[in-house]
Amino acid sequence: MTTTAATRARSSTTQRLPVPDVLRGIAIIAMLVAHAAPFLPNVPWVVQFPTTQLNAVASPLFALVMGISAQIVWNRSKSVGTTLLQQAIRAAILIVFGVWMATWGSWVAVILAYLGVLLIVGVPLLLFRTRTVLVIAAVFVVISQPVVAAARSSIWLMTQPPAVREIGAWILTGPSYRLINLVPFFLVGALLFRHGFRRDRLLAGLAGLAVAAYAASWVGERLAPRASASGDYLDTLHDIGLVFAVYVLVVLAVTTRRDGIRRFWDAVFVPIRACGQLALSLYLLHVAVIAWWNLEYGRPAENVYLGWLIIVPGMIAIGWLWWRFIGTGPVEWLMGLATGRRKRWRTTRG
């Protein structure tokens, strides 16, 4: 993979690239659906299955988009030290938000602290050449299962103070997310941006890999259903299949040359891109609503369609309306202010 001149030229402009925003929008919508699932505890398999897939794809897709965004920042950077400091501040804010939100009383497994740690570890790795970054990503995939298994069974870690155990969860033992499993997707995201979002043999290869990985995970889970656990190889294969499938489909849709099809996808992607640009604000807002509901009424035992409508279509509508009439999300604006990369309220929507 090599960085193309076209990608460099596009990344140097103020116009936003559509692919990262669409991918980030899909990731946040997937999380909305996953976190709203407890409002509908009694649904048929035909609803449970896609909800489970969206739940699985959300976090690795977020990591992939964070890698893309980090590489965009590096391409525009004029100072290594300044960029590292800005990303470290961004990471610290995510960690603070994540720790704070975990005390709100929602049923959501808050991911922000994990993403903050991911920035701290992942951003400096992007200073390496493409081949080295690819090798590092592969090493993380290979060592993930035995290292996670060893950490989860470690008596030493279980006897440490709460703060140490919490950091250990961010890195290795988290029940839903772990740094060691997110790093490969972060690095691959950066490499995909270096290569460029285009239809070529790499995209076809990713499509084939998506099918093969998902099929392998499906077969493996049925041959040994009790052996699969979050963070193991089968779980990673499942995530690879879903993430690459989403990436391939989005690139195919964005790069279509037929006017009618392009207009269709442009219309479909408007609310998705809006949510992608306000992903952090929507994340905080929907977790706050869920926490309020959980504290007031508890986790539903029967289907509560109102709650689901508020969290999924309601949040998507809020995201689109804010983007349409105001622009930058409030949390994104504050993040830019804190990192010295201030954003205008009204943003370019190209």
Side-chain angles (χ1 to χ4, degrees):
M1 299 182 195
T2 58
T3 307
T4 65
T7 299
R8 287 185 183 134
R10 292 180 71 187
S11 66
S12 64
T13 67
T14 57
Q15 186 176 13
R16 294 184 69 101
L17 297 172
V19 170
D21 281 340
V22 173
L23 292 173
R24 192 183 301 107
I26 293 173
I28 186 63
I29 291 171
M31 281 203 167
L32 294 177
V33 173
H35 296 162
F39 283 111
L40 304 177
N42 304 309
V43 293
W45 177 87
V46 71
V47 176
Q48 289 179 348
F49 178 77
T51 300
T52 300
Q53 305 313 301
L54 289 171
N55 183 39
V57 77
S59 58
L61 188 57
F62 258 123
L64 186 92
V65 181
M66 287 187 71
I68 294 173
S69 299
Q71 188 62 57
I72 292 173
V73 171
W74 274 126
N75 284 19
R76 296 173 176 173
S77 173
K78 296 181 180 179
S79 168
V80 172
T82 300
T83 300
L84 288 174
L85 177 61
Q86 289 174 337
Q87 295 285 39
I89 294 172
R90 181 178 177 83
I93 294 172
L94 288 175
I95 291 172
V96 169
F97 270 134
V99 173
W100 178 44
M101 291 171 67
T103 67
W104 289 1
S106 73
W107 56 64
V108 174
V110 180
I111 194 176
L112 296 188
Y114 299 83
L115 296 182
V117 176
L118 178 62
L119 277 180
I120 293 172
V121 174
V123 167
L125 296 178
L126 300 185
L127 291 170
F128 291 110
R129 294 180 180 273
T130 294
R131 184 173 298 178
T132 303
V133 174
L134 191 59
V135 170
I136 294 172
V139 169
F140 268 91
V141 171
V142 171
I143 68 172
S144 59
Q145 177 169 314
V147 171
V148 168
R152 284 174 172 169
S153 62
S154 171
I155 298 177
W156 177 85
L157 188 58
M158 290 187 291
T159 59
Q160 296 306 302
V164 176
R165 294 200 304 270
E166 184 68 14
I167 295 173
W170 294 345
I171 299 172
L172 295 172
T173 62
S176 300
Y177 319 115
R178 292 151 302 277
L179 170 71
I180 194 171
N181 295 115
L182 294 175
V183 167
F185 293 99
F186 179 92
L187 298 180
V188 168
L191 297 183
L192 289 173
F193 179 77
R194 292 183 187 183
H195 177 79
F197 308 131
R198 58 180 184 267
R199 301 184 180 202
D200 56 8
R201 288 184 296 177
L202 175 63
L203 194 67
L206 292 177
L209 180 58
V211 173
Y214 190 90
S217 70
W218 188 87
V219 172
E221 288 171 359
R222 275 142 190 83
L223 291 176
R226 296 183 181 180
S228 180
S230 179
D232 68 7
Y233 292 141
L234 289 178
D235 184 53
T236 299
L237 283 173
H238 186 248
D239 290 348
I240 290 172
L242 291 173
V243 169
F244 284 172
V246 172
Y247 175 82
V248 169
L249 292 174
V250 168
V251 172
L252 287 175
V254 169
T255 58
T256 183
R257 296 181 179 178
R258 297 183 179 182
D259 290 341
I261 298 176
R262 185 173 64 252
R263 286 194 297 269
F264 168 79
W265 284 116
D266 285 346
V268 169
F269 286 153
V270 166
I272 298 176
R273 292 184 66 183
C275 290
Q277 292 186 31
L278 276 72
L280 188 54
S281 295
L282 288 178
Y283 189 88
L284 266 73
L285 177 60
H286 94 278
V287 173
V289 173
I290 290 175
W292 170 81
W293 188 290
N294 194 36
L295 293 173
E296 286 290 322
Y297 305 107
R299 190 163 178 148
E302 301 294 334
N303 291 345
V304 180
Y305 295 100
L306 175 61
W308 190 91
L309 291 172
I310 291 172
I311 297 302
V312 183
M315 292 294 158
I316 294 172
I318 289 172
W320 177 78
L321 289 170
W322 185 284
W323 173 87
R324 175 66 178 82
F325 295 105
I326 300 177
T328 300
V331 181
E332 285 77 11
W333 185 86
L334 289 172
M335 184 78 78
L337 182 66
T339 58
R341 303 179 72 243
R342 294 188 62 174
K343 297 183 179 182
R344 294 174 299 173
W345 283 111
R346 302 295 295 182
T347 57
T348 301
R349 298 194 181 98

